[in-house]
Amino acid sequence: MKEYKVYTSSANLSKINKKNISHLRKNNERISFYTDEKSLKKLLEELEDIEYYNVIHKKVRYILRKHLITIISLFIIVILLINQSISVREIRFINYNTYNEDVEEFLMQKLKKRGPFYYLNDDLNDINHELKTIFYQYEWISVKKNGAYLEVDIKKLDKFDEPDADDGTPGDYFASKDAIIKLYHVKKGVVLIRESQSVSKGDLLITGNLKYWIDGEEYIRPKGIVIGEVLEYQEVKVKKKKELEMKTGKIESKNVISLFGYQFKRSPSFQNYEEKEKVKFNLSNVITFKKMYFYQKDIITITYTKEEAIAYAKSLIEKDFNPGLHEEIKFIELLETIEDKEYYHFRFIVKKYENIAQFVPRA
């Protein structure tokens, strides 16, 4: 490859014969041509009047000078993208109502801080193995990295599928609310309902009397769920302006030693905080090594607009529902708003699929 451009006196024309050159040009008393590294070395030994440069290097320098800002910008973007793919900005629980503070704290211990960024200090496969070992009460638990987020996937063991804890008390299931039956799942007992049937509060749904249909008696404790479509009114009062003490997201950890019950406590850099501890080593309560975690707290003032207050009121209804197997809120619709100086008063109609089967022991 002829990557060098050479300039020399035209008097040296005879000396470049039999050399690997191309694009020979003459300009007044100077000639120029392209050659490779091997031929250039020979010419440098034979000629005194010679100038040359590497064509590729010159082009690269030209491109760098012309597009320096663009190249630097692209480099920064690439670095940011790489950092985003390996850093952790937030821990997310991706399934509804599966947040677990102990799981979050466990994952926080698997992060190391470098400047404003957090990075995993352990292999993700090892972390998943530890999660499954420590939090064995879940049917499934795992964590994966999605961009800058650690996403925690938890599947709780359905209470209906847990081993029976039958105390032997016989009885029946009655409707706790007016509803339309959407589905039922019965493991033990005699079913007295059908789908799409309307029931009123207090109606018998499932009986533990195995001889119910022949007017006899042989009672057991039944087990089942009955999901009904329930429509009910709910009223929520929201204060327009309130102060809350909340965690700011800042966390500090410190190692603490305790001798004979006396703890050499080290305080965090902030004044208002919530603390938690984990014992790392304990020698007969004589000497104890602990890891202290300090969560900064601060007072914040929240002022709700009407729209924000409606959204907050709906979230309170959802939070209070705590759904189980096959249970869900179908919709929450605002019917009425009354506003005074300090509060918003909302009246909603809520449609839910809810387990209405209430166990009543046999008298």
Side-chain angles (χ1 to χ4, degrees):
M1 180 179 178
K2 300 179 180 64
E3 69 269 33
Y4 293 95
K5 187 170 185 179
V6 181
Y7 296 90
T8 187
S9 171
S10 58
N12 295 324
L13 188 58
S14 60
K15 296 181 180 180
I16 66 173
N17 286 337
K18 298 181 180 181
K19 300 291 191 300
N20 186 13
I21 66 171
S22 64
H23 297 83
L24 180 64
R25 299 284 187 274
K26 184 177 180 181
N27 185 10
N28 297 326
E29 298 301 320
R30 306 287 288 177
I31 58 174
S32 65
F33 55 87
Y34 292 90
T35 188
D36 57 20
E37 186 175 4
K38 184 177 178 181
S39 299
L40 177 64
K41 288 180 179 179
K42 292 181 179 179
L43 290 170
L44 288 172
E45 294 173 356
E46 298 173 5
L47 304 179
E48 293 183 0
D49 179 14
I50 184 171
E51 300 173 8
Y52 68 92
Y53 64 83
N54 189 303
V55 177
I56 296 173
H57 292 175
K58 186 174 182 180
K59 286 182 178 179
V60 170
R61 285 195 296 270
Y62 172 76
I63 293 171
L64 287 175
R65 283 197 300 269
K66 185 177 181 180
H67 303 286
L68 182 61
I69 295 177
T70 302
I71 292 171
I72 292 174
S73 300
L74 287 173
F75 178 76
I76 292 173
I77 291 171
V78 169
I79 293 297
L80 290 174
L81 289 173
I82 293 173
N83 184 68
Q84 185 181 23
S85 68
I86 62 175
S87 65
V88 176
R89 194 173 76 183
E90 184 181 334
I91 298 171
R92 287 180 172 178
F93 291 78
I94 60 177
N95 293 324
Y96 175 74
N97 201 32
T98 59
Y99 171 76
N100 184 302
E101 190 173 355
D102 291 333
V103 174
E104 184 181 49
E105 188 174 318
F106 169 82
L107 292 174
M108 285 297 298
Q109 294 179 46
K110 298 297 181 180
L111 300 177
K112 58 184 177 183
K113 189 175 182 181
R114 295 290 183 269
F117 302 104
Y118 288 88
Y119 303 92
L120 286 171
N121 60 9
D122 205 348
D123 182 75
L124 205 54
N125 290 328
D126 294 336
I127 292 174
N128 270 302
H129 178 73
E130 285 190 62
L131 274 174
K132 291 177 174 62
T133 302
I134 298 171
F135 302 98
Y136 56 85
Q137 71 270 28
Y138 293 120
E139 182 178 350
W140 174 260
I141 181 169
S142 69
V143 61
K144 66 178 180 180
K145 197 164 183 309
N146 186 3
Y149 300 99
L150 274 184
E151 294 186 342
V152 184
D153 182 13
I154 292 177
K155 183 179 179 183
K156 296 180 179 178
L157 188 68
D158 290 333
K159 291 183 179 179
F160 194 79
D161 294 324
E162 290 177 353
D164 290 343
D166 193 345
D167 61 4
T169 304
D172 306 286
Y173 279 111
F174 292 88
S176 61
K177 297 180 179 181
D178 297 344
I180 299 173
I181 306 301
K182 304 307 291 184
L183 63 92
Y184 52 85
H185 185 183
V186 180
K187 291 181 72 175
K188 292 189 295 183
V190 179
V191 182
L192 305 176
I193 52 173
R194 64 183 184 277
E195 287 188 17
S196 301
Q197 176 184 345
S198 295
V199 296
S200 300
K201 182 178 180 179
D203 285 352
L204 182 60
L205 306 176
I206 304 167
T207 179
N209 182 8
L210 300 179
K211 295 183 178 180
Y212 178 85
W213 295 113
I214 59 173
D215 295 327
E217 280 199 0
E218 184 182 339
Y219 262 92
I220 63 168
R221 178 165 186 149
K223 183 176 183 182
I225 59 172
V226 179
I227 301 300
E229 181 184 289
V230 178
L231 273 175
E232 59 186 12
Y233 298 107
Q234 287 191 235
E235 295 183 358
V236 181
K237 183 172 70 172
V238 178
K239 196 170 185 178
K240 292 183 177 180
K241 188 175 182 180
K242 62 180 180 179
E243 292 185 344
L244 293 175
E245 187 178 57
M246 299 180 65
K247 294 178 182 178
T248 66
K250 293 184 178 180
I251 304 173
E252 290 184 10
S253 61
K254 298 182 184 295
N255 294 313
V256 176
I257 300 175
S258 176
L259 292 175
F260 299 100
Y262 179 79
Q263 185 168 288
F264 297 90
K265 189 173 181 180
R266 299 170 62 193
S267 299
S269 59
F270 27 81
Q271 298 296 320
N272 190 15
Y273 58 87
E274 177 183 317
E275 66 179 59
K276 290 188 177 181
E277 66 177 43
K278 276 204 171 183
V279 177
K280 298 296 184 180
F281 175 79
N282 186 359
L283 181 60
S284 303
N285 292 324
V286 175
I287 181 168
T288 306
F289 291 92
K290 300 178 182 179
K291 186 83 169 182
M292 302 291 297
Y293 296 91
F294 302 94
Y295 300 84
Q296 186 185 44
K297 301 178 76 174
D298 200 0
I299 302 295
I300 62 169
T301 301
I302 300 177
T303 302
Y304 289 110
T305 64
K306 181 180 176 181
E307 290 72 21
E308 291 170 340
I310 292 171
Y312 176 65
K314 288 182 177 180
S315 73
L316 292 177
I317 294 173
E318 291 172 346
K319 183 179 179 181
D320 186 56
F321 182 49
N322 191 24
L325 184 64
H326 303 303
E327 294 183 303
E328 62 177 317
I329 292 177
K330 303 302 286 186
F331 65 72
I332 304 172
E333 290 187 4
L334 179 65
L335 297 179
E336 184 182 14
T337 301
I338 299 175
E339 183 178 344
D340 59 31
K341 187 176 180 181
E342 292 189 34
Y343 292 93
Y344 295 105
H345 302 264
F346 300 116
R347 192 165 190 253
F348 298 95
I349 184 168
V350 184
K351 181 178 179 180
K352 298 181 286 186
Y353 282 6
E354 185 176 356
N355 181 17
I356 61 169
Q358 182 178 23
F359 177 73
V360 177
R362 181 169 176 254

